[in-house]
Amino acid sequence: MYAKNSNNLQGKVMNMTENQRLDQIAITVKSHKLLKKLLKENPVLEDIMRNARNETEALIGVRNWVLEYIKGRPVAYGFYRGDEKGRDSFEELTWQDYAAIRLLDYIENAGREYEDLNIRGETAVSNPIKAIWMAVNYGTGGAKPYFFEDMLYLFRQFSGTYSRSFPDKEMLGKWMERFPDGLDPRIVKLREENRERIINILIDKMDSGEIKSSQYCFPQKISHEQKFLKMLDWWDDYKFHLNFAVRSPDLLNELLGNSLDPDTMKILYEAEKQGIPFFINPYFLSLLHVRVPYFAIGADLAMRYYVVYSQQLVDEFGSIVAWEKEDKVEPGKPNAAGWILPTHHNVHRRYPEVAILIPATMGRACGGLCASCQRMYEFQRGNLNFNLDKLKPDESWDDQLERIMKYWETDSQLRDILITGGDALMSSDYSIEKLLGAILDMSIRKKKRNESLPEGSKLAEILRVRLGTRIPAYLPQRVTPELAKILTDFRKKAIKTGIKQFIIQTHFEAPLEITPEVRKAVKMLLEAGWIITNQHVFTSASSRRGHTAKLRRSLNEIGILPYYTFSVKGYMENYFNFATNARAVQEQIEEKVFGRIGRELAQKVSRLCEEPWNSDVKLAEMIYKNSLPFISTDRNVLNLPGVGKSLTYRVIGITRYGRRILEFDHDKTRNHSPIIHKMGKVIVIESKSISEYLRQLEDIGEDISEYESIWGYSIGETEPRLPIYEYPEYDFKVTDKLTNLEV
Ligand code: SF4
C-alpha cells in the first residue's frame, strides 16, 4: 500500500538536495503504527491523504477542511490572519481554535527552510502535511515517531477528542507540597549533616596537604574537634567558600559522599577534559541531597542539574553558537540592535532606556557556574574563567569606567543601569563602592546638564540602578553588614539626585535554595532599602508541576518579588535543561494564574519599591488577606536571539524529529530599538520535542498524565507588565531623539 512509485523516486537520487534525500527515507515501524492510529482516528484526513495525487492537493485538502471550521469562529479567524491581536483575543481562543490556527500556519509555511543551529546550522524544512502524505502513500518522508505523536495530538485537538481540563487550586497546592523549601526544619537538619561531612573531608584534605590555603590554615597541634570548630567559623565567611570551591569532578564526588553514579562521573571527566570550568562552593554543595529524604524525593534536581553538566553540553562545547547576537560588540560599530557602545566588553544594550554594565572586576565571575549559562560560549574560547586573581581590576579600569559613565551621561534615553557580570556582588566592597560612587556622580552631572536644555530636548535622567546577582542563592554569606552599609549609603545619597528605584535582581532556581542564610542576607538587603526581584530560569527540572509556583511562594515569604520566568535559551548544548515553550505557556495558564493580582493589589505591590523594608511581612499579609497561594508578579518569557524578551509566538512548523518551530513577535508592551521594524519576526527551533521533554520528566519520576494538555499549547502571548516594573514619570519632557544608534 505504501510502495507507490518507489522506483521513480530511486531514479532521482542524483542531484538531489539533502531534504529530497530525507524524503526518501522509510519511516520506522513505530512511526507506521502512530500513522495508522492517526488515520483511524481521523477519517477525513485519511480521505484527503489517500485521494491527493500530490503534496499540493494534500495541503489544499487539509486547508479547506480547517478553513471550514475556523470561518465559523470570527475571533480565531481574525487571530490567525493577524487582524485580532493581544491578550484579550488570545484569551478568547478555544482549545480547538489553537489547533486550527496551528494547522493553517503549518500549511502557510509549508516547505519553508530554516537554518537549524541545534544541528550545527543544517537546514531544517517544515512540511508536516507533506510528511504525512508521503508516509501514507510511499511509507517514506523520514518523519520520526516524535513527529507523529505531536501530529496525533494536533488532530485530536482539532477534532475535539482531546480536551483540556484545568487544575484547581487544591491540585496546585498538592503539587507545590512536593517541593519543600530550605527553611523546612527537616531540610535544615539534612544540610547540617551535609555541612559536617564536607567540613570533615576538607579538614582531612588540608591535613594531608592535598588542599592548601594561605588565608585559611590551622594553628599547629590542634585537635580535629578544634579544627572542626574553626572551619565552622570560616563557613560564615564568603571568602572561605570561594577559596575552597570545588574545581574538579573527583572532589565534587568526594564532597557529595561519593554519591555520583559512574555515568555522571564519566560525563564530568569528559567535561573537565574539554575545558569546561568547575566552580561549586562548599555552601552550595551542602544544599544537595546525598541521602534522598522520603519527604522530598527529587526536590533538589533543579539545583543539581544547574551545576552538574550534561552529556549534550560536553558534546557541544567547542561548537556553541552565541544566542544573544546583540552581545557581540565592536566599539564604534552598531551591535545587532543598532546601538553603538563605548567599549568592547563592558556595556551591552538592547533597549533605549537601559544598558548593562559589566565591570572589569571580580564581578565577571560568579559564585558558581550554571550549566545553562550563556557564558559557556565565552568559556569555550578560554575567556572569563574562574581564575579569580586574574579577574581583579587593573589600572585601566578607572579610565574605562570614566568613558562608560560618559556614555550614560550623554545618552538621550538611558535612565536605567544594570550592573551585572558575571555577578555584581562578586566584586569587592571597594569596587562596588567605587562603581556606585561613579554612578552617583554621573547621575548628578546628567541632571545638571539638563538644567540648560530646553523642554523637549532634555535627556533622560537616571531613575533606576540594579545589581544583577545570583550571590544570594550561591553564597548568601557574601551579603555582609559592610556591603549592606555601602548599599544603604548609596541609596540615601542617590535619592537626592532623583534616582528612585534600587533593585537587587537575583536568580533563584528552586525553593530548596531558600535557606536560613538566604533569609538573613535578604533581610539585610531589604533593610538597606533595595527591593529584590527574581529572574528564574525555567529548566526541565524546575518546570515540574508546582515547582515554580512553590518557588514564587517561598520567594514571597522572604520578601522577594518574582520578575521573569525565562525559558532556557541556547541550542543543543542546553538540550538537557531546556523545557519547551509549550510547558512555559501551560505553567502560565494553569499554575501561575492562581497568583494573578488585580489593579488595587498591584498598586500596593508597587509601593514596595519606595518602602522595601519588611517586604516579607507585607507580602505575607497580601497573600493571606487575598487567599492567594503566591503573588505572581513575573512574566514568562524567552530572551530572543535578536532583540528583547517575548512569549508572543505561534508554532508555525515542526521538524521531522518533532521539534517545534516557533515564530516570535516582539513584546509590544515596551520600547525597542527601531531596528525591530527591519528585523521582523524571530524564528526559534526548539532543541527538544514535546515527546522527548515528557520522557525526560518521566525519567525523573513525574506522572506525565499530569502534563497531558501540554501538546495543545502552540500559541503564546506575553503577559502585561506590572506597574512596579515601570519607570517613574519625569516632570519634564524628554527628547524623542535617540543617540548612540545607527540602524
Ligand atoms: S550566575 Fe548568571 S552569569 Fe553566573 S554562571 Fe549563573 S547564569 Fe551565568
Side-chain angles (χ1 to χ4, degrees), residues 34-46 65 151-157 159 161-162:
L34 288 162
L35 174 65
K36 208 167 153 191
K37 213 183 218 178
L38 177 69
L39 299 179
K40 189 160 179 247
E41 287 181 14
N42 298 280
V44 180
L45 179 69
E46 178 163 21
W65 179 31
M151 297 307 285
L152 195 59
Y153 276 95
L154 174 57
F155 280 98
R156 281 177 183 166
Q157 190 178 3
S159 65
T161 56
Y162 162 52

Side-chain angles (χ1 to χ4, degrees), residues 209-264:
E210 202 179 316
I211 293 182
K212 290 192 188 97
S213 163
S214 53
Q215 206 175 343
Y216 299 92
C217 41
F218 298 120
Q220 300 249 311
K221 294 191 183 151
I222 62 169
S223 67
H224 187 89
E225 287 71 22
Q226 286 168 311
K227 287 177 184 170
F228 187 91
L229 291 174
K230 187 111 198 109
M231 203 173 269
L232 210 50
D233 274 348
W234 294 341
W235 195 268
D236 294 332
D237 171 1
Y238 75 94
K239 288 189 180 148
F240 163 79
H241 292 279
L242 294 178
N243 247 272
F244 287 78
V246 169
R247 290 169 181 271
S248 73
D250 285 326
L251 185 57
L252 174 64
N253 195 19
E254 263 188 83
L255 293 185
L256 285 174
N258 292 312
S259 59
L260 295 178
D261 65 66
D263 293 341
T264 307

Side-chain angles (χ1 to χ4, degrees), residues 306 365-366 368-370 373-375 379 386 421-423 470 474 507:
Y306 222 50
C366 300
L369 174 54
C370 312
C373 179
Q374 67 180 64
R375 299 196 319 146
F379 291 136
F386 280 79
D423 191 307
R470 186 162 147 74
Y474 268 144
H507 172 176

Side-chain angles (χ1 to χ4, degrees), residues 161-190:
T161 56
Y162 162 52
S163 55
R164 162 175 64 165
S165 58
F166 291 100
D168 57 19
K169 206 166 159 183
E170 201 183 324
M171 177 56 86
L172 176 69
K174 282 193 183 139
W175 288 336
M176 287 167 69
E177 270 170 34
R178 294 173 182 168
F179 303 104
D181 63 29
L183 296 171
D184 184 317
R186 298 168 299 179
I187 297 285
V188 173
K189 173 113 196 2
L190 278 178

